[in-house]
Amino acid sequence: MSIYVTGDIHGRPDRLSAKYFENQKDMTKDDAMVILGDFGLVFEQQESDLEKLFLDWLDQKNFTTIAVLGNHENYDRIEKLPVEERYGGPVYVLRPSVVLLQSGYVYTISGKKCFVFNGAASHDISDGLLDGSDPEWEKKAIAMQEEGKKYFRIKGVSWWPQEVEADEAVYRRGLENLEKINYAPDYVFTHCASTSLEERMGYPYHSRLTDYFDEIEKKLPENTLWLFGHYHADAMISETRICLYEQIVRID
């Protein structure tokens, strides 16, 4: 059993084709391909033909696709998906071998303890948010574009507030589950990084979530491997803190 990890795919899983990811020929459904958020194949108001095509295509692969959630996901749709117990915790099931992980759980994947927390705060909304329930939102969006404003999104259409966990109970669940394993997971999978890591990367946008990750990071053993996406870069911040985007790495 093996674990491969890659970064954001934003609804385009091309890099997982055999052309680019040749190792899959030797994999089985017991092997995992972990995507570190911005999966993006549950984004439209209802499953589109393209989403269906790609999800069915992933389901036919030799591996199981396991996705962390980011800040470009339709959380309203995701929260209505069927839930099953897999890897020692609840997962949303998109296809028999395509699942989405939930925040604050320690999953056992290929025999490894993997702490997972979803989400990130969007920074591409500096020009504001429109409300998708407003019948005038399309007209307002056009007006904003004509004014040269491009960093805006639409609530319930292209942006969902669940991108950063608001429920304190979920934050507590994460800490409690880490305490159960003495803060010693083999791996941590998230979409964004901790505040301290963002500062090291020169990234100026921090959130309640990144501060929470700072709290966790201080309690982890130094050799705990933490992998995250979000920043559209393939970079080794340290030997145990790795940002992934297009690169695919085997970690087990």
Side-chain angles (χ1 to χ4, degrees):
M1 295 184 289
S2 59
I3 303 175
Y4 287 83
V5 188
T6 191
D8 318 16
I9 62 171
H10 291 283
R12 304 292 303 205
D14 312 57
R15 83 184 68 141
L16 304 184
S17 69
K19 177 181 178 181
Y20 301 110
F21 179 44
E22 297 180 357
N23 293 18
Q24 64 187 275
K25 67 180 183 296
D26 299 319
M27 297 172 73
T28 73
K29 289 296 186 182
D30 289 331
D31 299 311
M33 169 59 70
V34 177
I35 297 171
L36 297 170
D38 282 359
F39 181 60
L41 281 170
V42 187
F43 193 80
E44 305 299 334
Q45 296 304 296
Q46 57 186 5
E47 187 175 272
S48 67
D49 291 342
L50 188 60
E51 286 177 343
K52 182 181 187 306
L53 176 70
F54 280 138
L55 288 169
D56 289 344
W57 178 76
L58 284 173
D59 196 40
Q60 294 166 9
K61 290 291 183 182
N62 291 347
F63 49 81
T64 294
T65 300
I66 302 174
V68 175
L69 298 175
N71 57 304
H72 289 86
E73 326 278 8
N74 186 333
Y75 281 91
D76 289 345
R77 270 183 61 200
I78 289 168
E79 290 170 357
K80 296 175 184 176
L81 290 170
V83 175
E84 293 181 6
E85 190 83 3
R86 297 196 194 178
Y87 310 110
V91 301
Y92 295 111
V93 181
L94 279 166
R95 295 293 189 274
S97 62
V98 183
V99 301
L100 310 176
L101 302 179
Q102 297 189 21
S103 289
Y105 290 99
V106 176
Y107 295 93
T108 302
I109 303 173
S110 294
K112 300 297 184 180
K113 297 188 293 292
C114 307
F115 176 72
V116 172
F117 214 97
N118 295 322
S122 293
H123 65 271
D124 54 351
I125 55 175
S126 56
D127 288 327
L129 284 169
L130 297 177
D131 190 341
S133 64
D134 180 353
E136 299 287 312
W137 77 260
E138 291 178 287
K139 185 182 296 184
K140 292 177 180 178
I142 292 171
M144 291 181 74
Q145 290 172 330
E146 289 176 345
E147 292 172 10
K149 296 179 179 179
K150 59 181 180 178
Y151 295 111
F152 69 91
R153 287 160 69 187
I154 301 95
K155 182 180 179 181
V157 176
S158 61
W159 179 87
W160 293 265
Q162 301 99 309
E163 67 176 30
V164 174
E165 181 58 58
D167 189 345
E168 288 298 321
V170 178
Y171 288 110
R172 288 196 300 274
R173 178 172 72 203
L175 298 179
E176 289 168 359
N177 282 329
L178 282 170
E179 287 173 2
K180 289 176 183 177
I181 59 169
N182 298 313
Y183 277 86
D186 296 294
Y187 306 123
V188 175
F189 299 141
T190 60
H191 184 51
C192 64
S194 63
T195 296
S196 59
L197 279 175
E198 287 189 332
E199 290 174 345
R200 288 174 63 180
M201 292 186 287
Y203 188 79
Y205 309 102
H206 312 308
S207 69
R208 163 74 177 90
L209 181 56
T210 64
D211 289 345
Y212 173 72
F213 290 160
D214 259 354
E215 181 182 350
I216 289 173
E217 197 165 24
K218 292 172 184 175
K219 299 179 181 180
L220 296 177
E222 291 184 6
N223 63 347
T224 301
L225 184 59
W226 189 324
L227 300 107
F228 52 91
H230 188 49
Y231 307 97
H232 289 199
D234 292 297
M236 182 175 285
I237 314 306
S238 73
E239 289 186 0
T240 58
R241 303 292 183 267
I242 298 174
C243 180
L244 289 177
Y245 183 32
E246 296 179 321
Q247 189 174 2
I248 298 172
V249 298
R250 180 174 180 174
I251 60 171
D252 185 66

